[in-house]
Amino acid sequence: MNEFSPVDDGDVAVRIAAHDHVADIVEALNDQPRDAAIAALNELPFEQTVDVFDQPDFDDAAEIMGMLPRDQATRLLSAMSVDRAADIIREFPDDERGAMLGALDPMLRHTLLNILGYPEGSAGSIMTTEYVSVPSDWTVARTLEHIRKVERTRETVYAIYIVEPTTHALLRAIGLRRLITGAPDDKIVSIAPDRQPVTASPLMDVEKVAQLITKYDLLAVPVVEGDQILGIVTVDDIIDTMIEETTEDVHRFGGMEALDEPYMKMRFLPMISKRGGWLCALFLSEMLTASVMQHYEVELEKAIVLTLFIPLIMSSGGNSGSQATSLVIRALALREISLSDWWRVALRELPSGLVLGTMLGLVGVARITLWQHLGFYDYGSHWYLIAATVGVALIGIVTFGSLTGSMLPFILKRLGFDPASASAPFVATLVDVTGLAIYFSVALVILRGTLL
Amino acid sequence: MNEFSPVDDGDVAVRIAAHDHVADIVEALNDQPRDAAIAALNELPFEQTVDVFDQPDFDDAAEIMGMLPRDQATRLLSAMSVDRAADIIREFPDDERGAMLGALDPMLRHTLLNILGYPEGSAGSIMTTEYVSVPSDWTVARTLEHIRKVERTRETVYAIYIVEPTTHALLRAIGLRRLITGAPDDKIVSIAPDRQPVTASPLMDVEKVAQLITKYDLLAVPVVEGDQILGIVTVDDIIDTMIEETTEDVHRFGGMEALDEPYMKMRFLPMISKRGGWLCALFLSEMLTASVMQHYEVELEKAIVLTLFIPLIMSSGGNSGSQATSLVIRALALREISLSDWWRVALRELPSGLVLGTMLGLVGVARITLWQHLGFYDYGSHWYLIAATVGVALIGIVTFGSLTGSMLPFILKRLGFDPASASAPFVATLVDVTGLAIYFSVALVILRGTLL
């Protein structure tokens, strides 16, 4: 972060003038205050400015574009890759968006409106229309000649789509590496792999597209409606999407709404509201623990020693639940398991919980026995019953935690929510209330007639 | 999962014989018991068997290769891509590994031993030596001719590395798309971008390589020692690595060691040990809460009403901590912030914690006031002091939770650990002990002379 902006302006312009990779230029610009960034951009040749705006990592691209003269902005948008232009226009305030679109070439406007029409997070919304497709009756030589001509205006030329000459229906896909090994007079369709290309539908979830690209090791996947190609999604877009999705998942697993901006750039109040919402919801649910405690108040007064282990026992339930949830969220995301496998998972988590609970239970009993015998603390003459209560409660609570934690993502998915919304704090809250009830119930059974 | 194996064997062999994509064949094989998978593999042409073993998604590849006749295994390993062959050999038991390597061609053995020598998780350990490099005095035509010849044996031909003709020092990198637009007689070095190629060192962490590939939108990055190329890491490898890393991060954030196998395939005892280790460690640390409670036993007996809010207050600290940790882990992973930014983060989390804590505190006070006035529960004549204790304690605990949660990843990173080891349960445990101490200290100040 540069805090001496006026002096450094020239410095930056110099620093980014050389043969720097565009990604490094973008990084330098991102570290500048907005005015300095615009000044530095104005020093760049037009081609390089286009490259900068083409980088999804360029922060505040829409705001900065909005501050440029309208005709410069229009020229930039026209020269940029279509998918990235759509991204930027999507960020414009509603009133500016119309004006900006109106200033563009009608064909480009039509394409952009098409992409903007697809819901965010769909293949259609991130696709580019700048791909290479050729009729199936072309030869290798003619195709290569075509690629040489259009190369500069295509996001990728490594995947080439072969279409039916009159209907333009997608027939085959071929990689450039295979194409260049063909003889010049070969019909392109004769050297393409004899297989239906892997395709995505425009409404397909981006995560699903990422899975297709990963599974089939593709550099791009065509977005197809009926038999017509609408555009392609490239591996770059997918990597960016995967990083964003991971960030969202981590934030949500941490028990909050996903921030959609970098942590240090997010303004204070929006951040507080994204965190405060869940925090309050969890707090209100957790209030049930106070009600449970009130319910057992008589027992608490008789055996105050029971309160000593409440935090220990509750947290064990939450921890085992959090483990199980993280396992199941990830297995669902990787499609290792599907919704219908819930009972298989339950049949694994039940014995897991029992074994883990028994382990913790034994440690708990050992601790109470040790403290009692070493004289660190006197749990009273019925200390062994207290130890038994803690041990048995731990078995019950850890088992319950593992089961609840593992089933919660399934339940959310069944209800149509993202299973990754099952956060660690959410599971802990669910388990806390029941955990207390389990603890006091066990205590009532074991301590009846002695302490209770 | 197919549970009628003997009858279906033929079925599978038929199902995977057609023009299926290798990824689909792998998926079908993974769903079969091992014997059926081997039987089906034996039905495949050799080329396709190689393709199957080349897929990182093919489960138990090393075990299955170990069950094949030695000469078949040797032929497969020689025909596979080098990086994947190294992966498989790495999984062999120590005694078999030597025998298998000994049966290979000496050149291949040398290459594999080289790759196997790099530590897991390093660029060297996942690189392939099957890349295209050409001397800088070659023309475009000669380079294309070379690529046509070697295409089948190279993992990618889309990135071409230009080396000094005698020293083989890496000079430039050029994409195939740029190459094919050149005139046949152009010297290749004259049309390559005039820029040092982005490179990785063999010991560079794979995550760092992924960041390079993402940042510079590369299809491959060369692994370089001194000025010599040792191999390349491709975008496919990186996507696989990113998915693995995300799984590890989610598991660890859930409070356990990362499973390195799919959940449903992992055997029971290894899974228990990966979960039980952390669960016990957390349990032992959490035992400090019992000690804190014992310390305040006199106060607890005098004002048993205080115990009612212990779970509520503790969980609020854990939740706010978990949120802050997830934010900082992700921001560190994305390099939005670095180690030296810890104080900036602390200066953000302090006011965040105060605001969020005040929100929860007000809700808590409202709840106690409401219950008292509506007659749901009688907190005694000093109910307003109890409410004040809960409110003030919440401010303190949520602030402390946000600060601790945000600083923990920095501390771990500073100590040389992965910041992503800061799990939600870890933070909760840290915050619980201090949270109780804060609660009782606040109670001592506010309730002294009345309840205490």
Side-chain angles (χ1 to χ4, degrees), chain A residues 286 400 404 408 425-435:
Chain A
E286 188 80 22
F400 179 78
T404 310
L408 182 64
F426 187 173
V427 174
T429 301
L430 267 185
V431 174
D432 280 353
V433 180
T434 328

Side-chain angles (χ1 to χ4, degrees), chain A residues 148 180 263 266 348-349, chain B residues 148 180 263 266 348-349:
Chain A
R148 285 194 191 98
I180 61 164
Y263 172 75
M266 183 106 191
R348 276 212 103 172
E349 287 304 310
Chain B
R148 285 193 193 99
I180 62 165
Y263 173 74
M266 183 104 190
R348 276 214 103 173
E349 286 305 310

Side-chain angles (χ1 to χ4, degrees), chain A residues 24 148 151 154 177 180 216 254-255 263 266 275 293-294 297 307 322-323 330 348-349 377, chain B residues 24 148 151 154 177 180 216 247 254-255 263 266 275 293 297 307 322-323 330 348-349 377 379:
Chain A
D24 294 315
R148 285 194 191 98
E151 189 265 335
R154 295 300 185 265
R177 61 186 293 176
I180 61 164
Y216 295 105
Y263 172 75
M266 183 106 191
R275 293 165 70 165
M293 302 273 283
Q294 284 162 18
E297 206 201 357
T307 60
S322 160
Q323 289 189 340
R330 209 45 207 156
R348 276 212 103 172
E349 287 304 310
Y377 192 83
Chain B
D24 294 315
R148 285 193 193 99
E151 188 266 334
R154 295 299 186 264
R177 59 187 293 176
I180 62 165
Y216 295 106
T247 304
Y263 173 74
M266 183 104 190
R275 294 164 71 165
M293 301 274 281
E297 207 200 358
T307 60
S322 159
Q323 289 188 340
R330 210 43 208 157
R348 276 214 103 173
E349 286 305 310
Y377 192 82
Y379 297 102

Side-chain angles (χ1 to χ4, degrees), chain B residues 42-92:
Chain B
N42 282 330
E43 302 282 315
L44 283 179
F46 180 72
E47 282 292 313
Q48 246 175 326
T49 314
V50 173
D51 287 347
V52 166
F53 277 99
D54 257 336
Q55 294 289 104
D57 292 338
F58 184 40
D59 290 342
D60 307 326
E63 287 86 341
I64 291 178
M65 174 114 20
M67 292 160 80
L68 297 177
R70 173 63 46 86
D71 70 313
Q72 198 188 345
T74 315
R75 280 205 305 145
L76 282 169
L77 284 171
S78 311
M80 289 172 60
S81 69
V82 175
D83 53 345
R84 185 67 190 127
D87 279 352
I88 291 182
I89 290 178
R90 196 176 280 123
E91 301 285 310
F92 278 158

